[in-house]
Amino acid sequence: MMLKRPDPLYDFLENTTLSDIPAAVQQKAKLWLMDLVGVAAAGHATDLSRIIADHAADHFGAGRHTAKMLFDGRAVSPAGMALAGGMSIDSIDAHDGYRPAKGHVGCALLPGLLAFAQTTQMTGAEFLTLFIMGYEIGSRAGAALHDTVSDYHTSGAWMSPTVAALGARALGLAHRETRHAIGIAEYHGPRSQMMRVIDHPTMLKDGSGWGAMAGVSAAYLAADRFTGAPAISFEDATDFYSDLGETWLTLEQYYKPFPVCRWAQPAVSATLRLRTEHNLTSDQVAYIELTTFHEALRLATMRPRNTEEAQYSTSYPTAAALVRGYVGVDEVSKNAFSDREIQRLSEGMVITESEECNRRFPAERISEVTLHLKNGTSIHSGMTTALGDPEDPPSANEMTEKYRALCEPVLGPDLANELLDAVYQVERNLPRLTALLTIPVPRPNVARKAI
């Protein structure tokens, strides 16, 4: 490829070491790593995770390079491991995100890196370096893709070249092959249209698993001298990468306290606050009125039949918040779908679109909740933002509490504690973290359909 070299991007990718990264950024990255591990553990119990892991075992068999799947233990190809891991994390919509990209870095990043960690001589320091570089490059790649392409694509679209870039470094590829790897991944990555799965929630989710798989595959293809077209979101959008190593976007990710789409979270937060401040129970409320932005309005499933529909809904988690006082994994599982009080409030919700909310999206996700009480009075939340934005980040203790709430029901407290310690020691002992993350953990006993 006869292309100019965008020095800031490739200099950062090829030359950055852990010592170049500020301590505060390293500390924040470990919190994101902890959060992703917790989400991965919770996701392991979903039907989506079971199906995709069995698919990877059947159709992405191990060859010369093998990697064990998250909390599964079966050895598959690195691409298969990344596919299963990304989709399993994505099965519980509680992972970090980046507002300008309208999507998520960590979901594809972690399984992609773990695939390379299991197939190279990667050190813990290099793993943490690449993990941080993934947030820095991936966040910018998402913003660059949205700037250069008119349609709104899932996170897998821009994380596929990001994972390929990191994989190229992990595999020791030269500069030319690195650019080919990124180009292959961008071309083959899932240019899936996000609003289609918003309108029709299914297991497709945010494309992160397919993006991780495409990125891992692209790096290995480039290592074998397969060539790729120039990556537009990298080669033709160099301004997005000019501040690499100076501005740290790892610090600009948002945190999700609830396992539902970020667009629904302002309404959930507002409802929980009103419930607490006014000491309310749901039976005092006649109906809920919600004012929000267009994208949140599109999360239109009011009576979900499965966890995907519950996670991609605005009315359902808002109603669940009022009824139960919290929205966790149990509230988006099938065990809650028959709750008649949640159904009443979800199906009776009045939702309107606001020009102010639209104008402030995606830099801000805001909504206003009004609870109309049965006694004829109404209480208003005022415009409310989602909790966990980088301007008001959660404490490390809050993130750890969420981690335990997600992990312990699936992994048990002992493995959850071991993993937590391994995350904080990752730069010193990567093999320990990798071994713990690939321990086989029993799934719910669901019979597999014969084909």
Side-chain angles (χ1 to χ4, degrees), residues 283-295:
D283 60 353
Q284 296 173 267
V285 178
Y287 69 97
I288 302 171
E289 183 179 355
L290 173 63
T291 303
T292 190
F293 50 97
H294 175 76
E295 286 77 5

Side-chain angles (χ1 to χ4, degrees), residues 195-224:
M195 297 312 294
R196 289 176 62 186
V197 81
I198 296 299
D199 293 336
H200 304 283
T202 66
M203 292 181 180
L204 292 171
K205 301 298 285 283
D206 197 30
S208 294
W210 214 261
M213 179 269 289
V216 169
S217 178
Y220 278 104
L221 281 169
D224 289 333

